[in-house]
Amino acid sequence: MRQLQELMKTGFFLRWSATAVLVAFAAVNAQEQAEQAESESQSPTAAQHQIEELSVVGQNIESETDVESERILLDVQADFVDSEFIARVGDSDAAALLRRMPGLTLAQGKFVYVRGLGERYSSAQVNGSSVPSPDITRNVIPLDIFPADIIDSMKVQKGYSPELSASFGGGNVDIRTKRVPEAGLFHVELKTGTNSEGGDGLSYAGGGDDAFGVDDGTRSLSPAIFQAIDTYRGSLSPVTILRSDRSTHGIESAKQENRQLATMLNRNVDFTMEQTAPDLEGELLAGYRHHITDRFDVGVLALGSYSNDVRNRERIVRRVSNPSTDFAESLRTTHEVNITSSMNFGIRFTDDHELGSIHMLLRNTEDDATSTKTCSQGQFNDCSDDSSPVQGRILGMRYEQREMLMHQFNGKHTFGDETLDVLPDFMEFTRDANVSWYYTLATAETALPHEVSISGQERLLGPNGEAINFSVRTTATSAEFRYSDLNDEIETYGWDVTFPFFRDNMSVELSGGYDYLYKSRNYRQTSFGLGSSIPGFNAISSNAPSEVFSDANIMNPNYGMELIVGIGAFGSESYVADQVVEAGYGKVDVLLDEMWRISGGIRAELFEQSVLPVDYLQYDSRRIDVDGYANLRTEDVYPSVALTYIRPGFWSDEFQFRAGVSQTVARPDIREMSASTYIDPLTEARVRGNPNLVVSDLTNLDLRGEWFWFNSDLFSISVFFKDVVNPIETVQGGATEDNIRFNFVNANSAEVYGVEVEWRKTLDFLSNWGEWTETLYFAGNATLSDSEIYIPVAQGVGDITNDRRSMTQQSPWVFNLQLGFDALDLKHSGSIVYNAFSERVFFAGISGQPDGYEQPFESLDFVYAYYPTDSLSFKLRVRNILGSTVEVTQGDVSVIEQHVGTSVLLNAKWQL
């Protein structure tokens, strides 16, 4: 009932906005007709040409200066990247772009850490609105899902202000998508490339629609198996089948029915080695704004992009206790497909009213094939050392389809002259007031219809030690099949009102607003085991896996195969969750003598999150894991104050000194609170949530000096300090037989502090060296920071090795450097871009084992663009020129190594 009432409120604002726009349009319609009659006396072609030319020039000026102007005009600290920067650095997605910004680092290639604080301490939005996450392992959205093609600019707000969610630690990332253009726009772009880790890669027989990032049903779990699970109430064992209907089944008949169900699994799992294909990407963009009159226009922007690439990744994982005998070496081939489709619509009535909507589909699909050599001293004792003639071999396949569908609606309304002319006189007090509203409905879905692992053994009997004999292990679960589905939905809406007042040398702006968010998240995982532990299985185990698990062999009782449901669980692996956030804020912004600016406000926020583990294989009261139920409810007020000193001409054309202090909160992720277990795709470790986690309270202090010049040069220096109570950290838990396990805990306290420096400088002051120096610029940023976290043993984390250490993923230093040029004839441009971060804690060790540290990663990229005509351009991009690798160490042991490779990409673009 409450949600229905809230929806009615939303409808009220939509109707109010539409009515206001229509009234304003009707009021100016007569004037439009008169002006149109007068304009017809001019040459239509010439007049149209003048309008188009002015629109194009205005658009170019806006794209170059809007971001910098917004940065100067904000009352708090923020950093930006715009479309020009995106074109220069050549990054392919939002996550890669954000690592170029001051104080930001990238984790796992898709999660951004701001000022040393993890993704749980920061928030991400699209066009100012929250969106759901298609990532199975986290509640926060992975930023690599947003291709650079759709991004107009990105804003990272590092100083808190009350119009933002109180869930704010390191900062807030806002991805602004491309908008309806002011004039006609059209371009086609084609890209291709390769990676040094290419060559021969693993492949297997997939589905007919793989090129579109969608499984055609080849990999999906048969509905008949789901029906059988319901029929036999969560177990498919022959004994359960027998007990369900004793009159029609004997034990052999029950075994036969179990084996028949096993033949419904997709077992076409043989690998072949094939030459990896070159990257293929394409983009089509078209937009137009139609000016019905001088003050009434409508516009549309459509974008579609497609990319298809294949990457090989070599990876080594070692156990720190016995690295020479407990390790895994793998070759992973990933076939990735990305599809983006978006439509933007815009309506503008006079300069006072604007309505817009954005409709976007993002699809990211990764198809992994992995062959892993394993040596362990555990269950199988495969290797006595890494040159042993006997070793384990695991063949794995993982098909993951992530998709997000988003619909956004927004409106902006100003009570300007043309609006007030049609309103009663008593409404004059609303002059220059602004009302804005938004409504977003979005769904993120992730499907893993095919996650298979075949456990085997091979002997090194070739003349060069190569494996010439592979056999599937004689165990009950030598083949494991896992099927997962995630559905994450968000509905959010809100409004903001701003009233400005002017008195002599003082201007005051009062603002307030309301935000509402409802989120639901459902995750279901079902796993199966197939194999045999009887000696008869050895007669077929040396064949190819698809032959070992052929229909005939499965149905042959002499081989003793059986389908087991619900294997490998560390408790419930499925869950349902929901989250509600309701907030209101008030804010005052005062400017005195064009020199002093003080703003401050309070945000009241109600937050409630519930997570309930579910065991879908239980058909009684145990299906709901009451003991694992987690509920977190907080209702608090979060204040903030910001002070700005403005002094033009102080060493630069524009100077500002900013200071801000605020109190915010960081809340546990849904996954972190769930008493369920999942596999982290980076570490391949088992990760289990903690229902007893509590929120982390933060106190933030920020200082910044900024110098701006009219030629776009800038310099800034920032100092920040954050005090965190009850921070959430990742610690190493008990290990499984073949992997590591991680848990989440609340530490006692933590502090993060540091300095950021940013600069951009044209090198025209070197003109004595030659005219060519006027084409160069040098830009970059550097962050130096430190942190300390305290986790006492009493927190229930077991025998943790270091109770005081740096926070997870906090880098003591981060550098970004960029040297670029723009040729005087405007036909060439290029840049060399460097990014590096220092050693940082990856996870906390236990039982005397050292902490795990991710080692420094240095990325050097090169981008060159050639513009032979106004319509045609070519771009060359080389990424990771240094060939850096990902490495995690524990003490002197490298526990994770992964090769990334060097990529070379070439694209051609034609535009009108």
Side-chain angles (χ1 to χ4, degrees):
M1 184 67 182
R2 179 180 179 183
Q3 187 175 2
L4 179 61
Q5 292 173 345
E6 298 295 344
L7 287 173
M8 292 174 64
K9 292 181 184 178
T10 304
F12 168 76
F13 282 109
L14 292 172
R15 292 193 298 272
W16 181 90
S17 301
T19 302
V21 170
L22 292 175
V23 169
F25 174 65
V28 302
N29 188 47
Q31 183 178 355
E32 295 287 352
Q33 292 177 356
E35 292 178 355
Q36 182 178 1
E38 181 179 353
S39 65
E40 289 176 353
S41 61
Q42 301 181 10
S43 167
T45 303
Q48 182 179 1
H49 176 74
Q50 291 172 5
I51 292 173
E52 290 177 352
E53 183 177 19
L54 287 173
S55 297
V56 171
V57 171
Q59 182 186 9
N60 289 337
I61 292 175
E62 182 181 5
S63 66
E64 293 174 358
T65 63
D66 184 58
V67 163
E68 186 168 308
S69 298
E70 184 177 356
R71 173 173 174 169
I72 294 173
L73 294 174
L74 276 176
D75 59 330
V76 293
Q77 292 185 30
D79 296 318
F80 295 83
V81 295
D82 59 9
S83 55
E84 180 182 353
F85 179 88
I86 294 171
R88 286 189 180 281
V89 298
D91 290 325
S92 59
D93 57 65
L97 282 165
L98 285 166
R99 68 191 169 105
R100 312 288 186 186
M101 302 180 71
L104 273 67
T105 54
L106 197 59
Q108 302 188 29
K110 53 187 175 181
F111 299 109
V112 171
Y113 283 58
V114 183
R115 290 179 164 175
L117 292 172
E119 72 272 8
R120 74 171 62 85
Y121 293 98
S122 302
S123 55
Q125 298 177 314
V126 178
N127 300 315
S129 178
S130 298
V131 289
S133 171
D135 193 276
I136 283 180
T137 65
R138 284 168 177 80
N139 187 34
V140 295
I141 188 165
L143 298 176
D144 64 325
I145 197 173
F146 295 98
D149 301 329
I150 68 169
I151 299 172
D152 179 69
S153 65
M154 288 193 292
K155 169 188 174 185
V156 179
Q157 185 168 321
K158 298 177 178 177
Y160 179 69
S161 54
E163 65 269 17
L164 292 179
S165 168
S167 182
F168 183 100
N172 172 266
V173 177
D174 187 15
I175 300 172
R176 286 97 165 263
T177 59
K178 290 181 177 178
R179 299 165 294 178
V180 174
E182 293 299 321
L185 178 66
F186 179 84
H187 78 235
V188 177
E189 190 168 5
L190 297 176
K191 311 174 188 178
T192 187
T194 188
N195 183 273
S196 61
E197 295 292 312
D200 290 338
L202 299 170
S203 182
Y204 69 96
D209 295 333
D210 286 3
F212 302 103
V214 178
D215 179 55
D216 63 359
T218 299
R219 303 173 175 86
S220 299
L221 185 62
S222 170
I225 295 181
F226 275 125
Q227 182 177 352
I229 291 174
D230 284 339
T231 300
Y232 301 119
R233 301 180 65 79
S235 174
L236 299 179
S237 71
V239 172
T240 301
I241 295 174
L242 177 66
R243 289 174 176 173
S244 66
D245 192 348
R246 290 181 179 272
S247 62
T248 59
H249 289 89
I251 187 63
E252 292 302 321
S253 177
K255 291 180 179 179
Q256 193 78 350
E257 182 172 345
N258 173 277
R259 292 192 287 265
Q260 184 66 47
L261 290 171
T263 64
M264 299 179 185
L265 298 172
N266 176 29
R267 291 148 289 122
N268 193 358
V269 291
D270 292 340
F271 284 158
T272 59
M273 296 296 293
E274 297 182 1
Q275 177 70 34
T276 58
D279 298 349
L280 176 63
E281 301 180 29
E283 177 188 324
L284 176 65
L285 183 145
Y288 183 71
R289 186 179 291 274
H290 179 55
H291 295 268
I292 298 176
T293 69
D294 287 346
R295 297 174 183 172
F296 173 40
D297 56 65
V298 296
V300 62
L301 176 71
L303 180 144
S305 67
Y306 173 87
S307 69
N308 189 324
D309 58 60
V310 182
R311 291 288 184 271
N312 286 332
R313 296 284 188 268
E314 294 181 1
R315 176 189 178 91
I316 302 175
V317 178
R318 299 181 179 92
R319 186 69 59 83
V320 66
S321 56
N322 297 291
S324 63
T325 56
D326 283 20
F327 66 91
E329 298 177 354
S330 62
L331 169 64
R332 174 181 295 176
T333 302
T334 301
H335 179 199
E336 184 173 4
V337 174
N338 288 281
I339 295 177
T340 303
S341 175
S342 70
M343 289 286 292
N344 295 19
F345 298 95
I347 301 174
R348 190 161 55 199
F349 293 95
T350 75
D351 293 330
D352 291 347
H353 305 280
E354 188 170 354
L355 300 175
S357 69
I358 301 171
H359 311 271
M360 183 183 303
L361 171 68
L362 302 176
R363 177 182 297 160
N364 170 262
T365 301
E366 293 185 356
D367 187 5
D368 289 341
T370 307
S371 178
T372 304
K373 167 190 171 181
T374 63
C375 291
S376 69
Q377 296 301 297
Q379 178 181 355
F380 300 112
N381 289 311
D382 287 324
C383 302
S384 57
D385 55 56
D386 59 4
S387 61
S388 172
V390 179
Q391 64 187 26
R393 176 68 62 178
I394 298 176
L395 307 179
M397 303 171 191
R398 188 176 192 269
Y399 188 90
E400 180 177 6
Q401 178 184 325
R402 301 185 297 173
E403 189 168 290
M404 187 182 80
L405 179 63
M406 180 182 70
H407 302 284
Q408 286 188 339
F409 303 87
N410 59 78
K412 297 179 181 179
H413 313 283
T414 301
F415 287 79
D417 291 339
E418 292 165 308
T419 300
L420 292 174
D421 285 346
V422 299
L423 294 177
D425 292 342
F426 71 86
M427 294 294 293
E428 179 65 24
F429 76 95
T430 64
R431 179 171 296 277
D432 296 325
N434 291 278
V435 177
S436 62
W437 56 266
Y438 70 92
Y439 176 84
T440 299
L441 183 65
T443 301
E445 296 180 344
T446 297
L448 276 81
H450 188 70
E451 193 173 4
V452 183
S453 176
I454 308 293
S455 178
Q457 190 178 53
E458 58 190 12
R459 298 184 180 275
L460 309 180
L461 299 177
N464 298 315
E466 68 271 17
I468 63 173
N469 181 277
F470 172 84
S471 60
V472 177
R473 291 192 188 277
T474 306
T475 64
T477 58
S478 53
E480 298 182 4
F481 302 81
R482 184 177 290 112
Y483 302 85
S484 306
D485 288 286
L486 170 73
N487 183 275
D488 197 343
E489 297 182 359
I490 274 185
E491 181 183 37
T492 179
Y493 50 86
W495 50 263
D496 299 273
V497 179
T498 302
F499 287 93
F501 300 92
F502 304 94
R503 294 292 184 271
D504 299 327
N505 62 342
M506 179 177 68
S507 63
V508 180
E509 186 176 86
L510 302 178
S511 58
Y514 171 83
D515 296 287
Y516 177 84
L517 179 146
Y518 174 75
K519 176 175 186 172
S520 65
R521 187 174 174 94
N522 301 290
Y523 177 68
R524 178 169 183 172
Q525 182 182 111
T526 308
S527 57
F528 301 87
L530 178 63
S532 174
S533 57
I534 68 172
F537 184 75
N538 294 327
I540 59 172
S541 64
S542 296
N543 295 317
S546 62
E547 186 175 345
V548 171
F549 298 107
S550 66
D551 288 358
N553 286 339
I554 290 175
M555 297 302 296
N556 190 331
N558 294 325
Y559 302 140
M561 283 191 254
E562 181 180 332
L563 180 64
I564 303 172
V565 61
I567 63 165
F570 276 67
S572 302
E573 301 197 4
S574 305
Y575 65 89
V576 295
D578 62 8
Q579 180 185 107
V580 175
V581 182
E582 191 169 13
Y585 77 91
K587 179 181 174 181
V588 179
D589 191 353
V590 180
L591 178 62
L592 295 171
D593 295 324
E594 299 290 336
M595 180 180 296
W596 294 97
R597 182 178 184 182
I598 182 168
S599 65
I602 293 177
R603 184 178 184 90
E605 194 162 283
L606 168 67
F607 173 88
E608 186 167 12
Q609 179 171 280
S610 299
V611 186
L612 182 63
V614 179
D615 188 347
Y616 287 101
L617 299 181
Q618 297 292 337
Y619 282 75
D620 52 27
S621 60
R622 293 175 295 169
R623 167 169 284 205
I624 305 300
D625 183 3
V626 178
D627 293 336
Y629 173 72
N631 178 264
L632 179 63
R633 178 186 172 93
T634 62
E635 189 171 358
D636 213 334
V637 174
Y638 304 93
S640 64
V641 178
L643 175 69
T644 305
Y645 171 64
I646 306 168
R647 184 178 174 183
F650 180 66
W651 297 352
S652 64
D653 298 314
E654 296 286 346
F655 168 76
Q656 295 186 136
F657 176 78
R658 302 178 183 275
V661 61
S662 60
Q663 292 182 339
T664 56
V665 67
R667 298 166 177 132
D669 187 292
I670 286 177
R671 258 303 196 182
E672 293 170 347
M673 285 183 60
S674 172
S676 58
T677 305
Y678 64 94
I679 304 296
D680 186 286
L682 177 66
T683 62
E684 298 180 358
R686 292 186 180 272
V687 183
R688 184 171 177 81
N690 179 0
N692 298 315
L693 292 176
V694 298
V695 300
S696 306
D697 295 312
L698 292 92
T699 300
N700 312 287
L701 176 63
D702 304 283
L703 304 173
R704 172 178 284 188
E706 299 176 314
W707 291 263
F708 300 93
W709 287 263
F710 293 152
N711 64 351
S712 295
D713 288 354
L714 71 85
F715 178 81
S716 72
I717 182 168
S718 307
V719 178
F720 61 89
F721 172 82
K722 296 179 182 295
D723 180 73
V724 189
V725 179
N726 299 321
I728 301 169
E729 279 288 289
T730 304
V731 299
Q732 185 177 351
T736 67
E737 182 62 48
D738 59 350
N739 229 316
I740 305 170
R741 180 174 168 184
F742 293 142
N743 298 323
F744 302 104
V745 299
N746 279 112
N748 189 64
S749 61
E751 291 181 350
V752 185
Y753 46 90
V755 178
E756 296 172 351
V757 179
E758 182 185 12
W759 67 89
R760 183 174 64 239
K761 177 62 181 173
T762 56
L763 302 185
D764 52 0
F765 65 92
L766 300 175
S767 57
N768 290 337
W769 295 8
E771 191 180 48
W772 61 272
T773 60
E774 299 179 10
T775 68
L776 299 177
Y777 69 92
F778 180 52
N781 57 75
T783 302
L784 302 177
S785 64
D786 199 1
S787 66
E788 183 180 78
I789 188 168
Y790 175 48
I791 311 178
V793 176
Q795 296 293 92
V797 300
D799 185 16
I800 191 167
T801 303
N802 297 309
D803 60 355
R804 293 185 185 272
R805 57 170 175 80
S806 297
M807 294 185 70
T808 303
Q809 297 287 350
Q810 184 267 320
S811 299
W813 55 261
V814 181
F815 290 108
N816 285 289
L817 303 175
Q818 182 182 358
L819 178 64
F821 78 94
D822 294 290
L824 294 175
D825 62 3
L826 302 181
K827 290 189 176 294
H828 306 271
S829 68
S831 60
I832 299 174
V833 186
Y834 174 79
N835 169 265
F837 60 81
S838 65
E839 181 181 77
R840 58 193 186 188
V841 176
F842 193 72
F843 58 83
I846 61 170
S847 302
Q849 295 182 351
D851 298 331
Y853 281 87
E854 184 176 2
Q855 295 304 299
F857 187 95
E858 296 181 88
S859 172
L860 182 65
D861 304 336
F862 172 72
V863 181
Y864 167 74
Y866 173 51
Y867 309 91
T869 70
D870 291 340
S871 300
L872 184 64
S873 63
F874 299 94
K875 184 179 292 184
L876 172 68
R877 293 173 288 171
V878 185
R879 298 174 180 164
N880 195 25
I881 296 173
L882 301 177
S884 298
T885 61
V886 176
E887 182 181 11
V888 177
T889 63
Q890 269 190 285
D892 297 329
V893 178
S894 178
V895 295
I896 298 177
E897 294 179 28
Q898 181 169 303
H899 296 271
V900 178
T902 300
S903 297
V904 179
L905 302 110
L906 178 67
N907 69 290
K909 180 178 179 179
W910 181 79
Q911 63 184 6
L912 291 177

